[in-house]
DNA sequence: AAACTTGCTTGACAAGCATCAAATAGGGTG
DNA sequence: CACCCTATTTGATGCTTGTCAAGCAAGTTT
């Protein structure tokens, strides 16, 4: 039978290659040479599709791969021993998930698709091997990990020192900026997460999230209808974030 | 003159070597072979002393080294554009500071000695070189970075979902556990930081910190006199942390 | 199309923490 | 030793956000 197995679809293989991926400047390949890109291609062979609600991994699963979002939208959430459930991040195309699993060889959190999505699976030991041979890949991996630390720390600042309106303004501006970086409209998009998930991420209750959205709408800062958001006044949102100066 | 320069103090060199350091099981060298340890020794040649209040680095300084706390106690704090000041961590012997600087080649935060302290300076490019040759060092560095991500995320959970009493109970238990790992008493120590710094780290005002300490003292959970803390009832503190189950 | 489910909005009220203010304790210095 | 400065404690009050509850909107199933 083996001899009769059809060769892999060439077009498909091309499209799945980092070197041809339109996210390559945002994702792991950013800044690599052509030769290094080819090596990355040989490493990342598996893509997986997830329907809305499916888990990419769960807390406690053994860690052996990182996951790059190729399409769609994910949340990661930490489930405490005492039943507390905290959303630790939202992840869109070009972003890496799973770095938090390296430390204990187990994923500490769940990763859940918030819409139909697609991930590239990056075997971590092979990535380490490759980064031993390619210093610029090594440095890039370190930068990505460091960027995650920095971004977690800025969430700490948000949670530790901002009021509800400031948190939500910062959240909307952050989403807007990430949409822009991906070539989408900075001012109009669909929220893929519920009010409760936003609240969990921002340390607020869902009713507070809803109320602040309504207040922003009354002040003509945004137009919101369910999950559809239009941002009408970015400068004013910025002043709200930097308010308690 | 050069010929008359005295040879470095041998005892001192030994004591400064990772291979002879009594923190080696907590710090970067943990889990390395003897050969790898020798290579680390050749890399880490500079120790620096800091008086209470001195900065190891400041936000905006160029990043080129990591710093391992050899003795003493540090805080790191982020200074926002709008003047907000958030303590992002407290760092004791054996812990690494500066990982957040890799991403932009600049330190995003200040590192300040909270008592007279000593740091080992670890040139990061040389550490990367070495970790290309020593896979177990490479993996260990990745684990340390990942551990930082995990610990920042658990602070996010603390700030996002715990009330003042729970935050302070978690804070005290965390300090106690880190003291234990270093061979100190788990139940009696001096706080090196002010109430305001604790509050900043935990997203509370200093008055709230003080009030909760007083409440804990009235309930015989701790005995506190200024910076001197004795933890009297660890089990009960644990139940407070896991309360909103 | 009706019933159901899930997510969102809004109101009334309460709890928790912040703010403002004043008093106290310690540590360091002349 | 007296003084000063900073850190801490404690009280009174008010704001922000959480809690509880009810109704609404939109999508899904029967």
């Amino acid at each position: 039978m083996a001899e009769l197995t059809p060769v892999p679809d060439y077009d498909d293989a091309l499209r799945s290659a980092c070197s041809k991926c339109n996210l390559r400047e945002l994702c792991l390949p950013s800044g690599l040479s052509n030769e290094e890109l080819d090596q990355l291609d040989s490493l990342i062979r598996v893509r997986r599709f997830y329907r809305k609600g499916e888990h990419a991994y769960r807390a406690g699963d053994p860690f052996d791969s990182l996951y790059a979002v190729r399409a769609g939208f994910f949340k990661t959430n930490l489930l405490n021993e005492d039943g507390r459930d905290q959303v630790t991040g939202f992840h869109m195309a070009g972003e890496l998930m799973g770095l938090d699993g390296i430390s204990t060889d187990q994923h500490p959190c769940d990763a859940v698709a918030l819409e139909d999505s697609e991930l590239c699976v990056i075997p971590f030991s092979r990535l380490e091997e490759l980064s031993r041979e390619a210093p610029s890949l090594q440095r890039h991996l370190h930068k990505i990990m460091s960027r995650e630390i920095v971004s977690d720390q800025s969430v700490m600042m948000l949670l530790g020192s901002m009021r509800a309106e400031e948190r939500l303004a910062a959240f909307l501006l952050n989403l807007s900026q990430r949409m822009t970086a991906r070539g989408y409209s900075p001012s109009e998009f669909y929220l893929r997460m519920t009010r409760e998930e936003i609240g969990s991420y921002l340390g607020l209750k869902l009713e507070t999230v809803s109320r602040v959205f309504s207040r922003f709408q009354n002040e003509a800062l945004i137009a919101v209808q369910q999950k559809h958001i239009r941002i009408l006044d970015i400068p004013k949102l910025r002043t709200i974030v930097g308010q308690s100066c």
Side-chain angles (χ1 to χ4, degrees), chain A residues 46-245:
Chain A
V46 181
R47 286 188 288 160
R48 289 201 199 127
F49 292 83
Y50 299 86
R51 306 216 63 107
K52 181 173 173 177
E54 283 186 333
H55 285 67
Y57 52 81
R58 289 169 194 274
D61 285 355
F63 166 83
D64 42 38
S65 299
L66 302 177
Y67 299 86
V69 181
R70 186 177 163 83
F73 204 91
F74 278 80
K75 71 167 178 181
T76 43
N77 64 335
L78 212 53
L79 205 83
N80 222 11
E81 314 86 52
D82 41 298
R84 245 182 292 243
D85 183 29
Q86 167 98 19
V87 172
T88 54
F90 298 110
H91 309 275
M92 42 202 278
E95 294 175 345
L96 237 53
M97 302 193 297
L99 292 167
D100 50 3
I102 301 167
S103 93
T104 60
D105 290 316
Q106 288 196 344
H107 291 288
C109 62
D110 292 356
V112 186
L114 296 184
E115 61 178 332
D116 292 355
S117 301
E118 188 183 355
L119 296 181
C120 299
V121 180
I122 308 168
F124 188 63
S125 321
R126 297 212 45 211
L127 182 62
E128 280 184 320
E129 273 173 43
L130 189 51
S131 80
R132 268 180 254 137
E133 289 149 26
S136 65
L137 175 61
Q138 181 195 35
R139 172 55 65 107
H140 190 57
L141 175 60
H142 292 159
K143 288 204 180 206
I144 287 175
M145 297 188 74
S146 177
R147 199 197 301 154
E148 173 100 18
I149 293 170
V150 172
S151 105
D152 285 354
Q153 285 176 355
S154 83
V155 175
M156 283 170 55
M157 162 163 289
L158 180 147
L159 292 170
S161 69
M162 291 188 181
R163 288 172 320 117
E165 293 200 348
E166 304 174 71
R167 293 183 200 190
L168 272 155
F171 175 73
L172 290 173
L173 289 172
N174 176 270
L175 277 187
S176 162
Q177 178 259 310
R178 284 154 77 194
M179 296 300 279
T180 310
R182 282 154 187 82
Y184 299 112
S185 164
S187 59
E188 182 162 10
F189 44 86
Y190 279 87
L191 298 172
R192 302 303 174 174
M193 68 296 274
T194 66
R195 303 287 189 264
E196 188 170 17
E197 287 162 338
I198 297 173
S200 170
Y201 181 62
L202 297 177
L204 301 168
K205 292 294 159 183
L206 70 95
E207 295 94 332
T208 304
V209 174
S210 177
R211 271 185 249 273
V212 172
F213 275 173
S214 301
R215 220 178 303 156
F216 281 176
Q217 176 151 254
N218 288 337
E219 292 163 11
L221 301 177
I222 64 174
V224 51
Q225 195 175 28
Q226 304 285 116
K227 299 205 185 279
H228 180 218
I229 291 266
R230 274 185 307 137
I231 302 187
L232 304 175
D233 195 340
I234 290 189
K236 211 159 185 180
L237 283 175
R238 289 222 181 89
T239 69
I240 288 179
V241 175
Q243 210 161 55
S244 34
C245 167

